[in-house]
């Protein structure tokens, strides 16, 4: 992923108003992010733990989406697998729900997927962040193939947001 500025990120949101995008708390450490190792930039809102944000290239353009997640109930606390990177990190997996883009989102329609709670899929795939014991199933595919699969999984989710 190429490095992005605060302004570029705010301008890429597709499922919220321009006013809401201006109020989103974009990470202050953008210069320190490992951009070359990211397939997407994801972060949680420190002031509202149920909110998260994701930005990536999709269909040749920068696209960002607003996500919401509910804290798991006590009976739900178990290891789950991320739908994007196919990792079951010890940090957990959350059901992330995104309002759909356009009129559908304004009408209250949304789509969801399971994502790593810390949104570090790219780093887990590359082995740059430890996901914990038994977080990944043994595979015979290369890291590049895992990256391609994760990108395809993310694009599939983004396509549902854009429909």
């Amino acid at each position: 992923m190429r490095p992005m500025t605060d302004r570029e990120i705010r301008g890429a949101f597709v499922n919220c108003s321009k006013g809401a995008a201006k109020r989103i708390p974009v990470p202050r450490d953008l210069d320190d992010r490992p951009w070359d190792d990211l397939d997407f930039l994801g972060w949680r809102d420190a002031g509202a733990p149920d909110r998260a944000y994701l930005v990536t290239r999709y269909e040749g353009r920068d696209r960002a989406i607003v996500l919401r997640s509910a804290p798991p109930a006590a009976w739900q606390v178990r290891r789950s697998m991320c739908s994007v990177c196919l990792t079951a990190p010890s940090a957990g997996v959350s059901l992330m729900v995104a309002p759909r883009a356009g009129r559908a989102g304004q009408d209250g329609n949304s789509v969801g997927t399971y994502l790593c709670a810390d949104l570090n899929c790219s780093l887990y795939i590359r082995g740059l962040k430890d996901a914990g014991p038994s977080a990944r199933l043994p595979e015979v595919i290369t890291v590049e193939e895992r990256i391609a699969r994760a990108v395809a999984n993310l694009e599939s989710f983004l396509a549902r947001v854009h429909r």
Side-chain angles (χ1 to χ4, degrees), residues 70-149:
W75 61 270
Q76 292 175 310
V77 178
R78 63 178 188 267
R79 264 178 118 158
S80 299
M81 185 174 286
C82 173
S83 298
V84 170
C85 67
L86 304 184
T87 300
S90 55
V93 170
S94 296
L95 174 61
M96 302 272 186
V97 178
R100 293 188 55 207
R103 185 73 187 157
Q106 293 168 1
D107 290 341
N109 295 317
S110 60
V111 295
T113 195
Y114 289 94
L115 291 170
C116 292
D118 60 6
L119 299 165
N120 281 315
C121 299
S122 300
L123 302 180
Y124 293 139
I125 293 169
R126 290 166 173 81
L128 299 174
K129 184 169 182 174
D130 183 16
S134 303
R136 296 201 52 86
L137 297 172
E139 294 185 289
V140 295
I141 63 174
T142 66
V143 171
E144 289 76 23
E145 290 170 319
R146 287 184 204 149
I147 292 167
R149 179 180 61 200

Side-chain angles (χ1 to χ4, degrees), residues 1-12 30-31 33-41 55-58 60-64 122 126:
M1 191 171 173
R2 71 172 182 77
M4 295 182 72
T5 65
D6 180 288
R7 184 180 178 138
E8 290 172 319
I9 291 170
R10 290 181 192 284
L30 292 176
D31 292 336
R33 296 290 173 133
W35 293 101
D36 290 337
D37 294 316
L38 296 179
D39 305 304
F40 66 87
L41 173 65
V55 62
T56 191
R57 291 288 285 174
Y58 176 68
R61 297 179 58 202
D62 295 328
R63 305 290 175 113
S122 300
R126 290 166 173 81

Side-chain angles (χ1 to χ4, degrees), residues 45 104 118 163:
D45 187 332
D118 60 6
R163 274 191 210 141

Side-chain angles (χ1 to χ4, degrees), residues 25 43-53 66-69 96 119:
W43 70 99
R44 300 294 289 241
D45 187 332
D50 65 327
R51 289 189 209 147
Y53 310 95
V66 174
L67 299 161
R68 291 219 178 227
S69 67
M96 302 272 186
L119 299 165

